[in-house]
């Protein structure tokens, strides 16, 4: 155990058992601080890297201990991770394809954009921001490459459980108003309710072959449709 006395360009002067030791700048922490002075006055546990010439060469590291603790914590976290487990982590970074979540001990999992909600999420930044605590479900653990897949929508109510059931607004023959979500060569996808999207095939649009689906049904336009077929098992609705 030692006390950090001073910060210099190369590292820190540390007092250990009334002797002066040196801790290199890179060995004080696992994360580099913008202002090294934040460590001055702190008492830490160090590991001796070098001791010679009656203490004239006395080099220590705090980082070595932190890394060992992190490895132990990571092993503990990985043992607890299994498909179906619900865990709370912290969002580390957000990318176009999803968000990386720290589950503890430096163990990270990927929350893919397709698993963020039953609705189509256009940008992961709508759901997650760096530093945010988030509760997710473990979907897959690949020990071979260390990849962990996470899901958020699995913890939310599945809107498809009532589709086609008595009392549901979405039943065969129902007349509904939906919103154009996106286009495909074979038709238009219409959002009928949060998390529920149906397909309006090209031959059911009433358009001629020479007419442009994108111009006739621009994204965001409201459209009146009739439900023709529901396959709840495959999560498909034909309009």
């Amino acid at each position: 155990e030692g006390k950090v006395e001073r910060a210099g360009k190369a590292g820190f002067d540390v007092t250990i058992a009334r002797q002066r030791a040196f801790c290199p700048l890179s060995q004080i922490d696992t994360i580099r601080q913008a202002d090294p002075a934040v460590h001055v006055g702190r008492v830490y546990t160090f590991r001796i890297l070098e001791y010679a010439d009656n203490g004239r060469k006395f080099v220590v590291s705090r980082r070595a201990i932190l890394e060992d603790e992190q490895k132990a914590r990571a092993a503990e976290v990985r043992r607890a991770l299994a498909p179906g487990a619900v865990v709370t982590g912290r969002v580390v970074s957000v990318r176009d394809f999803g968000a990386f979540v720290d589950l503890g001990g430096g163990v990270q999992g990927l929350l893919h954009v397709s698993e963020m909600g039953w609705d189509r999420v256009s940008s992961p930044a709508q759901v997650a921001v760096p530093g945010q605590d988030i509760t997710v479900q473990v979907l897959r653990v690949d020990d071979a490459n260390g990849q962990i897949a996470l899901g958020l929508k699995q913890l939310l109510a599945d809107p498809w459980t009532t589709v086609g059931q008595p009392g549901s607004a979405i039943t065969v023959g129902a007349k509904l108003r939906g919103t154009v979500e996106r286009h495909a060569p074979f038709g238009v996808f219409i959002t009928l309710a949060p998390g529920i999207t149906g397909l309006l095939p090209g031959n059911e649009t009433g358009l001629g072959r020479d007419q442009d689906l994108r111009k006739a049904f621009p994204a965001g336009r409201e459209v009146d449709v009739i439900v023709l077929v529901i396959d709840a098992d495959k999560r498909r609705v034909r309009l």
Side-chain angles (χ1 to χ4, degrees):
E1 188 175 87
K3 181 179 180 181
V4 180
E5 303 288 357
R6 285 174 296 279
K9 290 183 178 180
F12 302 86
D13 288 337
V14 181
T15 299
I16 296 179
R18 298 183 181 181
Q19 281 192 269
R20 178 186 174 277
F22 177 70
C23 179
L25 197 63
S26 63
Q27 295 298 315
I28 195 69
D29 204 341
T30 54
I31 301 172
R32 186 159 187 165
Q33 298 285 348
D35 181 11
V38 299
H39 296 289
V40 175
R42 302 287 184 88
V43 176
Y44 296 135
T45 300
F46 294 90
R47 175 171 296 161
I48 298 174
L49 299 183
E50 185 177 0
Y51 188 87
D53 297 338
N54 292 323
R56 283 190 288 272
K57 293 182 68 175
F58 191 178
V59 183
V60 297
S61 170
R62 174 173 174 254
R63 177 174 181 165
I65 292 176
L66 295 178
E67 288 179 340
D68 283 351
E69 291 174 349
Q70 190 175 56
K71 288 178 183 177
R73 172 63 178 151
E76 181 183 337
V77 169
R78 287 189 178 278
R79 283 195 296 269
L81 294 178
V86 176
V87 295
T88 298
R90 178 160 294 183
V91 177
V92 176
S93 62
V94 178
R95 309 289 180 85
D96 291 341
F97 52 83
F100 287 99
V101 180
D102 188 331
L103 304 173
V107 177
Q108 292 187 12
L110 174 62
L111 175 59
H112 194 269
V113 63
S114 63
E115 302 294 346
M116 287 185 164
W118 295 108
D119 280 341
R120 186 180 178 88
V121 177
S122 57
S123 172
Q126 297 173 343
V127 178
V129 295
Q132 169 191 354
D133 289 334
I134 189 169
T135 300
V136 292
Q137 185 176 73
V138 178
L139 303 182
R140 294 178 301 281
V141 178
D142 189 335
D143 292 326
N145 56 29
Q147 294 181 349
I148 302 169
L150 307 173
L152 179 60
K153 69 183 184 183
Q154 289 75 10
L155 303 180
L156 307 174
D158 184 353
W160 279 92
T161 56
T162 60
V163 172
Q165 301 298 316
S168 172
I170 305 175
T171 54
V172 174
K175 297 180 180 180
L176 304 171
R177 173 163 291 188
T179 304
V180 176
E181 181 186 283
R182 65 188 191 279
H183 304 84
F186 46 82
V188 182
F189 287 96
I190 309 291
T191 298
L192 304 174
I196 306 295
T197 299
L199 173 64
L200 177 62
N203 61 3
E204 296 288 354
T205 60
L207 299 179
R209 291 187 176 181
D210 58 342
Q211 291 181 278
D212 190 340
L213 275 178
R214 293 179 180 273
K215 289 183 179 179
F217 296 92
R221 173 187 166 184
E222 291 190 340
V223 182
D224 291 321
V225 293
I226 295 176
V227 178
L228 300 181
V229 179
I230 293 175
D231 188 337
D233 291 335
K234 294 183 178 180
R235 295 174 178 260
R236 294 176 181 173
V237 177
R238 188 167 183 265
L239 309 169

